[in-house]
Amino acid sequence: MSVTTDGSIRETNSGNPENPWGDTKASGPPRAGGVLGPTGRPRPVFPDPRPRTVHGPSRVVAMVNQKGGVGKTTTTINLGAALAEAGLKVLLVDFDPQGALSVGLGINPLQLDLTVYNLLMDRQVTAEEVLLETGVENMDLLPSNIDLSAAEVQLVTEVAREQVLGRVIKPLLPEYDVCLIDCQPSLGLLTINALACAHGVMIPLECEFFALRGVALLMDTITKVQERINDELVIEGLLATMYDARTLHGREVLARVVEAFDEKVYHTVINRTVRFPDATVAGEPITSFDPSSLGASAYRELAREVLARWETGR
């Protein structure tokens, strides 16, 4: 399949308000409601999460893509909020020197006395001292700011430098069900630290041609980490973001991703909407900023799919 790069728009019925997910009629015997989701596969029905009476230990998931602007931070915030809404205890780790995750939760990184940087570089600082509550019940944050950019250089001389993040967050993990690490857009030492301590990798991928180009390099990096540092690391899945079902380009890119990675691609697709940047400006997840929006519904659906995959071991 060739991928068109001119960004041409062709209007279809798949992106209208009456059909926000871009579903189409399934050919052959009807399954999962008789519709195909935007990934071209029958859309499963994911059950609501079961109530949690006991919490922990945490499953650690790294949000990784060396291309910027693909929705890593947006997904970390909103998936975390949707999981917390479902009753899980969630820990978010801002592991990007830009501090976008902290900003997106209404925190000014420049006013922080202690951040993940201090936790990495100063053995006298504990994770509890850095930990902040967010405005979302059951969701806490280890914040970051520009100081973290120095850690990449300073960690080079450390013994077991790839294991530092895992060591400092380990005391917190028994208290949470999920830990989401928002990584910087690179494949440097900070990202390797996240992969080294993670159980799984989630790859947000913009439905745009250039977003496909770096996936092979990212997969190569993940394979090396699996072989040399963390043999329990798995690819959780690829999440299509900023999807616009009205464009031929977006549909073809998504089809290409599904063709290459098959079941590793989440059925849930995150559509492009102005409500995400609006929520970021407000410093809230979209699930609380606009709980009835399509974006909030999409991340709740993603949370159900993620939990269903974990329960089935996929």
Side-chain angles (χ1 to χ4, degrees):
M1 179 186 298
S2 61
V3 178
T4 306
T5 59
D6 61 3
S8 59
I9 295 178
R10 184 177 300 172
E11 296 294 335
T12 71
N13 291 329
S14 58
N16 63 37
E18 289 74 26
N19 185 17
W21 305 110
D23 291 340
T24 58
K25 292 182 179 179
S27 57
R31 293 184 293 169
V35 297
L36 297 178
T39 64
R41 298 168 295 178
R43 179 188 292 282
V45 177
F46 300 108
D48 290 331
R50 292 174 295 180
R52 298 281 178 124
T53 56
V54 178
H55 297 284
S58 177
R59 184 179 183 93
V60 181
V61 179
M63 296 284 178
V64 180
N65 192 325
Q66 75 270 29
K67 186 179 185 302
V70 297
K72 292 188 296 295
T73 301
T74 298
T75 297
T76 304
I77 292 173
N78 294 301
L79 175 58
L83 290 169
E85 189 178 78
L88 282 74
K89 289 196 67 176
V90 180
L91 172 65
L92 305 184
V93 180
D94 190 347
F95 215 48
D96 184 349
Q98 297 177 76
L101 181 63
S102 302
V103 172
L105 289 168
I107 296 166
N108 185 346
L110 301 179
Q111 295 178 350
L112 296 171
D113 294 324
L114 294 174
T115 66
V116 169
Y117 169 77
N118 303 98
L119 189 58
L120 294 175
M121 307 310 302
D122 187 348
R123 287 182 176 268
Q124 303 303 313
V125 175
T126 65
E128 288 78 7
E129 292 177 282
V130 180
L131 192 66
L132 297 177
E133 293 183 355
T134 68
V136 179
E137 185 179 2
N138 292 326
M139 189 168 80
D140 297 330
L141 169 70
L142 291 175
S144 172
N145 62 19
I146 193 62
D147 293 344
L148 185 60
S149 59
E152 191 126 29
V153 176
Q154 294 171 331
L155 286 174
V156 169
T157 58
E158 289 284 324
V159 176
R161 58 183 178 267
E162 300 91 353
Q163 310 287 348
V164 178
L165 177 63
R167 173 179 59 80
V168 298
I169 67 172
K170 186 176 180 179
L172 294 177
L173 298 184
E175 304 174 23
Y176 295 90
D177 300 308
V178 183
C179 173
L180 303 179
I181 305 174
D182 183 30
C183 297
Q184 64 177 346
S186 80
L187 296 179
L189 185 54
L190 294 180
T191 300
I192 299 300
N193 259 264
L195 294 174
C197 70
H199 299 107
V201 188
M202 185 177 294
I203 306 171
L205 184 70
E206 181 184 6
C207 291
E208 193 268 336
F209 173 72
F210 290 107
L212 291 174
R213 300 184 64 193
V215 174
L217 179 60
L218 175 57
M219 292 299 177
D220 183 55
T221 299
I222 292 171
T223 299
K224 289 179 180 178
V225 171
Q226 289 170 325
E227 293 173 348
R228 304 175 187 180
I229 303 174
N230 182 2
D231 59 4
E232 296 183 355
L233 182 67
V234 298
I235 297 175
E236 298 273 345
L238 290 85
L239 174 67
T241 64
M242 305 181 191
Y243 179 66
D244 188 343
R246 297 171 300 177
T247 67
L248 175 62
H249 178 71
R251 297 197 303 274
E252 288 192 339
V253 168
L254 180 55
R256 181 74 173 269
V257 172
V258 174
E259 179 184 319
F261 298 101
D262 196 23
E263 291 301 317
K264 285 296 182 182
V265 182
Y266 289 106
H267 289 274
T268 306
V269 169
I270 309 301
N271 289 320
R272 187 183 297 274
T273 169
V274 297
R275 300 307 279 167
F276 288 128
D278 289 347
T280 300
V281 171
E284 294 182 51
I286 198 166
T287 51
S288 59
F289 176 76
D290 192 353
S292 62
S293 65
L294 292 177
S297 298
Y299 275 108
R300 292 188 185 106
E301 178 74 0
L302 177 63
R304 287 190 289 268
E305 180 172 1
V306 166
L307 291 173
R309 287 190 177 208
W310 290 347
E311 288 187 2
T312 58
R314 291 175 56 191

